[in-house]
């Protein structure tokens, strides 16, 4: 018998023999649970009221039953219409009960260990501005219409600083408390003390959900109108530059550029926008070099973190003033895809050490004599 025939014969016998390769029969109750989740997810009542959605679907990945109760683990995939270019994901647990042979969904929460979604934190208010969609949960924090107005001013400012194609719109989340903000981001609340907002998003330009600007209601509410403008322009600039930002991009450049965009065109004096760094320079504590990536770590000493952001802004301000806005934009683009010294040399005509020396001299000139 040829080898191929010998290999096929056991397979034929296996298919004919009872139980040879058969798996367990599908559980009808599990099938019914999956069907019930799919039917529930298709109803308007399963979706957050007022949220414009282009996609909303639950993929059940497992079912646990305990008599007339069941819990389905699922992956929620949703896409906000007009903002997300790909679905966002959320690990969920859907609870069901059975009555008269029929399964009914009774609850839906974030899976253990998974970040919640805004609508998990209370009733959702949705306000659409010209350039922003604002989602406020739980009736806490600044009013969503006010945040939308702030964002509508910030997005054009970001576009003016970054004259490259981008969506030109942002999604802003307003949780009710700093603790709720931290929960959305999956980090300890202390990591965001003093931070008015942060931006989430994937770098490198891959298709994905829109960046989310997450507001810290405790800090944001204490800001002046000018302060709110700086914060949201900074965060909108992160969204604008996302496609050009990669792991190569040094944080002093990405954070400094965002602050440069936020302060661009304002009469803000360096000592006013960089008070922590000004104090350090006046006491003779001049930084040895440009801020390292580790200097921007969340949860770091607040004064040291402030000095890192302020120093980054002053470095980008120096580049724009000495070489022009266009050179700073081109440097940002190139720094995300090639060695920094190569980009510095070809765009600015200097290397990292020379830039650091010029920056340190600018700190002495502008901050040492500040009151």
């Amino acid at each position: 018998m040829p080898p191929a025939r010998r290999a096929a014969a056991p397979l034929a016998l296996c298919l004919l023999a009872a139980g040879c390769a058969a798996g367990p029969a599908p559980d009808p109750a599990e099938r019914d649970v999956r069907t019930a989740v799919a039917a529930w997810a298709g109803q308007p009542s399963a979706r957050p009221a007022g949220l414009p959605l282009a996609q909303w679907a639950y993929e059940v990945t497992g079912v646990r039953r305990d008599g007339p109760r069941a819990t389905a683990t699922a992956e929620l995939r949703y896409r906000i219409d007009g903002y997300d270019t790909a679905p966002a994901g959320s690990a969920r647990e859907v609870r069901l009960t059975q009555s008269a042979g029929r399964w009914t969904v009774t609850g839906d929460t974030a899976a253990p260990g998974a970040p919640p979604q805004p609508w998990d934190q209370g009733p959702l208010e949705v306000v659409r501005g010209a350039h922003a969609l604002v989602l406020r949960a739980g009736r806490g924090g600044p009013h969503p219409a006010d945040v939308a107005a702030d964002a509508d001013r910030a997005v054009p400012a970001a576009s003016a600083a970054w004259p490259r194609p981008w969506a030109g719109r942002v999604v802003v989340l307003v949780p009710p408390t700093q603790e709720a903000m931290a929960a959305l981001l999956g980090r300890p609340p202390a990591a965001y003390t003093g931070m008015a907002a942060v931006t989430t998003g994937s770098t490198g330009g891959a298709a994905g959900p829109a960046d989310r600007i997450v507001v810290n209601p405790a800090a944001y509410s204490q800001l002046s109108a000018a302060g709110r403008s700086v914060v949201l322009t900074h965060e909108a600039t992160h969204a604008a530059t996302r496609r050009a930002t990669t792991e190569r991009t040094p944080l002093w450049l990405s954070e400094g550029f965002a602050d440069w965009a936020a302060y661009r065109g304002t009469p803000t004096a360096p000592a006013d926008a960089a008070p922590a760094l000004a104090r350090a320079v006046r006491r003779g504590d001049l930084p040895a070099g440009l801020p390292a990536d580790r200097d921007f770590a969340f949860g770091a000493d607040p004064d040291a973190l402030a000095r890192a952001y302020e120093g980054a802004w002053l470095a980008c301000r120096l580049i724009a003033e000495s070489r022009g806005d266009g050179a700073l934009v081109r440097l940002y683009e190139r720094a995300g895809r090639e060695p920094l010294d190569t980009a510095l040399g070809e765009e600015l005509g200097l290397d990292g050490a020379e830039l650091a020396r010029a920056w340190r001299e600018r700190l002495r000139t502008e901050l040492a004599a500040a009151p």
Side-chain angles (χ1 to χ4, degrees):
M1 184 182 291
R5 297 280 297 189
R6 286 199 301 270
L11 175 60
L13 291 172
C14 182
L15 291 173
L16 292 171
C20 180
D27 182 350
E30 180 175 328
R31 179 198 61 207
D32 292 344
V33 166
R34 291 173 179 269
T35 300
V37 171
W40 164 79
Q43 298 172 3
S45 59
R47 306 181 179 200
L51 186 62
L53 292 164
Q55 179 180 343
W56 180 270
Y58 284 70
E59 180 184 352
V60 176
T61 57
V63 175
R64 302 191 306 272
R65 290 193 297 119
D66 181 13
R69 298 181 181 84
T71 299
T73 56
E75 181 73 11
L76 167 63
R77 307 291 289 174
Y78 70 93
R79 185 161 56 88
I80 298 179
D81 191 22
Y83 293 86
D84 292 334
T85 57
S90 176
R92 312 293 292 180
E93 280 197 344
V94 183
R95 297 184 300 276
L96 304 94
T97 59
Q98 187 183 43
S99 177
R102 180 180 179 182
W103 290 99
T104 303
V105 172
T106 59
D108 170 36
T109 60
Q117 293 296 314
W119 51 87
D120 294 323
Q121 298 181 331
L124 203 63
E125 291 182 84
V126 181
V127 172
R128 188 193 294 268
H131 303 289
L133 184 72
V134 179
L135 314 180
R136 184 174 77 161
R139 308 271 190 259
H143 195 280
D146 295 335
V147 177
D150 293 338
D152 281 347
R153 290 186 289 270
V155 169
S159 295
W162 183 254
R164 298 291 186 266
W166 73 289
R169 54 188 181 272
V170 294
V171 177
V172 185
L173 310 182
V174 185
T177 64
Q178 181 173 314
E179 290 73 21
M181 173 202 188
L184 290 175
L185 298 166
R187 295 180 64 90
Y192 302 105
T193 299
M195 289 190 174
V198 298
T199 301
T200 68
S202 300
T203 59
D211 288 337
R212 281 13 175 192
I213 298 175
V214 187
V215 167
N216 179 350
Y220 193 85
S221 297
Q222 296 176 6
L223 295 174
S224 65
R228 295 193 303 272
S229 176
V230 166
V231 165
L232 284 189
T233 302
H234 176 109
E235 302 304 336
T237 301
H238 280 316
T241 58
R242 188 67 68 197
R243 293 182 63 186
T245 307
T246 72
E247 292 182 355
R248 279 185 176 270
T249 310
L251 286 177
W252 72 259
L253 183 54
S254 61
E255 296 297 344
F257 187 93
D259 264 357
W260 171 76
Y263 287 114
R264 182 173 173 268
T266 72
T268 307
D272 293 335
L277 191 54
R279 289 192 298 269
V281 171
R282 288 198 300 271
R283 64 175 179 260
D285 187 11
L286 191 69
L290 290 166
D293 283 4
R294 62 179 177 274
D295 297 330
F296 296 91
F298 284 8
D301 172 66
D303 196 64
L305 186 61
R307 294 196 302 272
Y309 275 89
E310 293 166 4
W313 166 59
L314 289 169
C316 289
R317 179 175 176 269
L318 168 64
I319 293 169
E321 288 184 350
S322 61
R323 299 296 195 277
D325 295 2
L328 177 59
V329 170
R330 292 191 299 273
L331 174 65
Y332 195 111
E333 291 177 306
R334 297 184 62 166
R337 61 177 187 263
E338 59 190 73
L340 180 62
D341 270 351
T342 300
L344 286 170
E346 295 187 7
E347 290 299 336
L348 309 184
L350 42 76
D351 60 22
E354 291 169 325
L355 174 61
R357 284 196 293 272
W359 171 74
R360 282 163 53 88
E361 183 57 36
R362 179 64 70 92
L363 296 185
R364 288 193 189 94
T365 302
E366 294 192 318
L367 300 182

